[in-house]
Amino acid sequence: VSAMNAKASSGGEEEASGMRTETLEESRCSGGVKRGQVIFIAYLIATLELTFLFMQMGVMPYLAKSLGLDSVGFGYLQTTFGVLQLVGGPIFGRFADQFGTRAALILSCASGSAFFLLMSISTSVPLLFLSRLPGVFMHGLPGAQKVITDLTAPSQRADALGKLGLCFGIGIIIGSALGGVLSTKFGIFVPIYVGLVGNLINTMIAMVWIPLQAKPKSDHHVTENSNVFSIREILRLMKFPGVMEIFMVKVFAGLPIGLFLVMFSIISMDFFGLEAVESGYLMSYFGVLQMVIQGLVVGKLTNHCTERTLLRLSVFVFAGVGLGMALMRTVWHYCIVAVPLMFAFSTLGTITDSILTKAVPSSDTGTMLGICASVQPLTRTVGPTIGGVLYRHFGVSSFGYLQLIVNIGLFVYLLKSKIPLREMKSQ
């Protein structure tokens, strides 16, 4: 039955892909917008949104402190944002499937504008918490991923999705640096004003440059009469062949490292003895690594290796990263470990997103991407609690040992299991 479902899904994807091509040809004739231009605009929107997000992350601790919020209260603020993103990811994806990618990107950018507007008038702690609320629909990256999955053939999807790593890296580097410079020279609220104006511009870009793309007609009956907030519709996707298995690998393979990264601001001070400026340099280093690896290396690998092979490789490398982290003692050791760490993170994220969007009907790719986007907010939500216990009671090496054990188990599982995948390499 699974084989028949997989075959039916494969046939449906190819048919839908052909219909998407026809739809795009119509939009080219009517609006003069080419496929490459639309994908580039999606990259641009994601880059700008991430830049503004990282810009406010740099000033948020200082703003919270100036309003009298202590470290525990700041932790609650971060958790609130994480929970909102966790809940909003699948809902945003369902919205994109039902109302189109253009509407979803406009919603994300408009929510970003509201987010920065509320931050700019935050003169008390309750207002600061209220400013987190629009974060429920701030999902520019999954929105850009949805554009890419709609406009690329399945065989080219992993490469195109991988290039979003460039957007993420640029966002980290420029956003972190710009936030620091603007807040130091002009005041703590200036980066927030820039973020507000930037998101309004981003909203206009989405309205003007992202075309209205109709759903393939064969898919309309799947989503048109269902509720955006339907949990049953979201969980339905997990029943497709291979979806639950791959999603579990996606969640657990990077979870221990994710807990470490959530705790990194404390670990960098206590364990590595870094100052704030040095931590900033380290973040920039990570940004450059991600740009190079996800933007260039992962794309090349998808041309020569099957997705099953790359999935196993990323989990195997993750296990090695765990061993390296268990043994590291200095920040220089961590800089070395960061190379395979970023490779495994980038490869696993790109490949699992590609596999999962191929495993479901084209009418549900937005919802699937929304579910995938909830993995990081989940880690940010549970991270401070679980990561705090691990660090306090077992030390930094515990993150590495946990990473090693979990990924050895996952690697053995991937070798022995027969998860149905649509094996494709880019031509």
Side-chain angles (χ1 to χ4, degrees), residues 97 119 140 299:
D97 284 332
M119 268 187 75

Side-chain angles (χ1 to χ4, degrees), residues 61-120:
Y62 302 100
L63 178 60
K65 189 176 180 181
S66 70
L67 295 175
L69 204 62
D70 60 11
S71 58
V72 176
F74 184 68
Y76 290 144
L77 188 69
Q78 297 293 79
T79 302
T80 301
F81 188 67
V83 170
L84 287 168
Q85 289 252 296
L86 175 63
V87 172
I91 296 171
F92 178 84
R94 292 272 300 145
F95 182 89
D97 284 332
Q98 288 198 322
F99 299 102
T101 314
R102 181 172 179 264
L105 280 172
I106 291 170
L107 174 65
S108 176
C109 297
S111 298
S113 302
F115 176 84
F116 280 97
L117 177 63
L118 287 170
M119 268 187 75
S120 68

Side-chain angles (χ1 to χ4, degrees), residues 226-246:
S226 52
N227 192 334
V228 172
F229 299 96
S230 172
I231 296 173
R232 184 185 298 173
E233 283 295 311
I234 291 168
L235 294 178
R236 175 180 61 84
L237 301 187
M238 291 297 170
K239 296 177 182 177
F240 284 92
V243 170
M244 180 60 82
E245 294 92 331
I246 296 297

Side-chain angles (χ1 to χ4, degrees), residues 309-331:
T309 301
L310 290 176
L311 183 63
R312 289 171 175 169
L313 175 64
S314 61
V315 170
F316 181 75
V317 172
F318 253 146
V321 167
L323 181 61
M325 287 189 64
L327 300 175
M328 75 179 180
R329 294 292 176 267
T330 70
V331 71

Side-chain angles (χ1 to χ4, degrees), residues 90-215:
I91 296 171
F92 178 84
R94 292 272 300 145
F95 182 89
D97 284 332
Q98 288 198 322
F99 299 102
T101 314
R102 181 172 179 264
L105 280 172
I106 291 170
L107 174 65
S108 176
C109 297
S111 298
S113 302
F115 176 84
F116 280 97
L117 177 63
L118 287 170
M119 268 187 75
S120 68
I121 59 171
S122 292
T123 52
S124 64
V125 171
L127 272 174
L128 194 59
F129 272 88
L130 185 65
S131 73
R132 306 293 93 183
L133 199 57
V136 73
F137 293 123
M138 286 170 60
H139 295 280
L141 200 58
Q145 289 175 323
K146 172 66 174 163
V147 173
I148 290 164
T149 54
D150 281 351
L151 299 184
T152 54
S155 60
Q156 300 168 331
R157 191 169 297 171
D159 185 19
L161 288 172
K163 286 184 171 62
L164 277 169
L166 284 168
C167 305
F168 201 88
I170 293 168
I172 290 177
I173 295 167
I174 298 179
S176 302
L178 198 59
V181 170
L182 290 175
S183 60
T184 304
K185 290 197 171 185
F186 305 106
I188 201 167
F189 280 99
V190 171
I192 299 169
Y193 298 143
V194 172
L196 172 58
V197 174
N199 272 278
L200 289 170
I201 293 171
N202 233 5
T203 308
M204 295 301 297
I205 292 172
M207 291 173 71
V208 174
W209 291 101
I210 300 294
L212 282 168
Q213 289 162 11
K215 287 277 182 192

Side-chain angles (χ1 to χ4, degrees), residues 62 268-269 274-283:
Y62 302 100
S268 65
M269 288 188 293
L274 300 182
E275 298 292 333
V277 176
E278 294 166 327
S279 293
Y281 292 149
L282 203 56
M283 287 297 290

